[in-house]
Amino acid sequence: MAVRVAVAGASGYAGGEVLRLLLSHPGVEIGALTGNSNAGQLLGSLQPHLVPLAGRTLEATTPEVLAGQGRPHDVVFLALPHGQSAAVAAQLGEDVLVVDMGADHRLKDAADWDRFYGAPHAGTWPYGLPELPGGRAALAGAKRIAVPGCFPTAVSLALFPAYQAGLAEPEAVIVAATGTSGAGKALKPHLLGSEVMGTVTPYGVGGVHRHTPEMVQNLSPLAGQRVSVSFTANLVPMPRGILANCSAKALPGVTAEALRAAYEKAYADEPFVRLLPEGQWPTTQSVYGSNAVHLQVVHDPSAQRIIAISAIDNLTKGTAGGAVQSMNIALGLPEELGLSTIGVAP
Ligand SMILES: NC(=O)C1=CN([C@@H]2O[C@H](COP(=O)(O)OP(=O)(O)OC[C@H]3O[C@@H](n4cnc5c(N)ncnc54)[C@H](OP(=O)(O)O)[C@@H]3O)[C@@H](O)[C@H]2O)C=CC1
Ligand SMILES: CC(=O)N[C@@H](CCC(=O)OP(=O)(O)O)C(=O)O
């Protein structure tokens, strides 16, 4: 029997992407679709690429609509702005699987939450990054899932094997490029075409980007001590994609062979992570619209640093694909259902 799902925030980028994936998922029936300012609008006017759902009308985001009103939903995806998910989720039954694509339940440390998001902490949910050690066990049977931020997905997958294998110092420097869809669909002057086209703009520089504590949270347990993370994001003129250039000081005695072996071991059986052949570098285009993570790692002997570079689609593996992958695990479905590693190129 199909799993019945609702999507809150269906007019936005993350909501649209999760619907694109769910339309190809053989085990899912799409129930209520909700919005905020666009409630009452036809989805076809807002997300014209979702042709099979073009005739659906967006409903208001209320607990009654999300519960299913006589036809209960088994799963509710929340693709809402930060700070909006917790109140909505609190009104949904404990038997419903709630998958939150926002940040409300990602961080364990309430002080970090307060510092970077500036609101009361709503508590921590199982974290939707199955590839991390223990990740799948944390998700199996879960009724609440916090989907990671897009940069923490790209960065954690690029660096965790180096920490797990004890090859890196507990300091990482990350410079990442992102497409504009990461900022959502709401109108913002700095995202106007005339501001973005033909230029690359750094932002969140100097330890202030809200994804920094999430990266620290993911990497530190593997290092056995706090990993300090220096993270700089760059907005580039493309709609989708993240390229994360990650580097950490290599511990004495680390060799290129040992480094490669650690990554091969970590990702040998991962369906969505592709460690590229030596000499080949990840590109955002290769993962466009796919749930794949492309990854390369090298040892720079002159600087004694480990360089790991990952590419993801921020909307797919970085949000909606990670959400569907985590849902599959929580429900005991095959993990790859509804997801693809095949990109769109050129
Ligand atoms: N874009 C990305 O790459 C990623 C996004 N995320 C997270 O996913 C979530 C959604 O982001 P994104 O889709 O990009 O954002 P958008 O701005 O594109 O969409 C936001 C959605 O939330 C709805 N909404 C806005 N305010 C409220 C409210 N007060 N109550 C209920 N619904 C509301 C909007 O409805 P309406 O349009 O009808 O007003 C819209 O459907 C965010 O938490 C974001 O951080 C996570 C990882 C990556
Ligand atoms: C271009 C851009 O602004 N990107 C967003 C990333 C959004 C995201 O993926 O994560 P959240 O769910 O935490 O918002 C940023 O840097 O904050």
Side-chain angles (χ1 to χ4, degrees), residues 28-272:
V28 156
E29 178 195 350
I30 297 176
L33 309 178
T34 78
N36 188 45
S37 60
N38 285 302
Q41 299 293 315
L42 282 177
L43 192 71
S45 66
L46 300 159
Q47 309 273 26
H49 60 299
L50 302 175
V51 173
L53 299 171
R56 293 286 201 94
T57 301
L58 285 183
E59 299 181 74
T61 304
T62 67
E64 296 74 30
V65 170
L66 293 177
Q69 295 173 311
R71 290 193 67 199
H73 297 119
D74 306 294
V75 182
V76 175
F77 288 93
L78 300 178
L80 308 175
H82 301 313
Q84 298 294 334
S85 305
V88 174
Q91 298 182 70
L92 297 172
E94 288 177 7
D95 54 334
V96 178
L97 170 56
V98 182
V99 184
D100 182 13
M101 290 185 267
D104 293 28
H105 302 94
R106 293 176 192 155
L107 293 179
K108 295 178 180 164
D109 186 327
D112 276 344
W113 174 268
D114 183 49
R115 183 167 157 230
F116 284 88
Y117 293 88
H121 188 225
T124 312
W125 288 358
Y127 192 67
L129 195 53
E131 294 84 359
L132 284 183
R136 289 187 173 84
L139 293 170
K143 288 296 185 189
R144 297 288 187 269
I145 294 171
V147 179
C150 50
F151 288 119
T153 294
V155 169
S156 304
L157 295 179
L159 282 177
F160 97 74
Y163 286 110
Q164 187 180 42
L167 303 177
E169 298 270 9
E171 60 78 24
V173 178
I174 294 129
V175 179
T178 178
T180 50
S181 64
K185 205 170 178 176
L187 296 176
K188 293 164 196 151
H190 76 283
L191 296 174
L192 290 170
S194 44
E195 304 292 331
V196 171
M197 287 188 293
T199 190
V200 177
T201 311
Y203 69 97
V205 187
V208 298
H209 195 287
R210 59 180 192 266
H211 285 170
T212 306
E214 206 180 321
M215 297 173 195
V216 172
Q217 176 175 295
N218 290 347
L219 296 174
S220 297
L222 298 157
Q225 58 186 306
R226 187 182 187 282
V227 175
S228 74
V229 171
S230 169
F231 173 57
T232 302
N234 290 285
L235 190 66
V236 305
M238 59 185 184
R240 289 171 178 245
I242 284 179
L243 189 77
N245 294 268
C246 312
S247 143
K249 185 115 180 130
L251 284 166
V254 168
T255 63
E257 293 71 29
L259 185 61
R260 182 86 194 168
Y263 277 70
E264 283 174 350
K265 185 174 170 206
Y267 290 128
D269 299 319
E270 284 299 340
F272 295 111

Side-chain angles (χ1 to χ4, degrees), residues 5-31:
V5 306
V7 175
S11 48
Y13 283 149
E17 182 72 353
V18 84
L19 285 168
R20 183 179 76 85
L21 299 173
L22 291 173
L23 282 167
S24 302
H25 193 298
V28 156
E29 178 195 350
I30 297 176

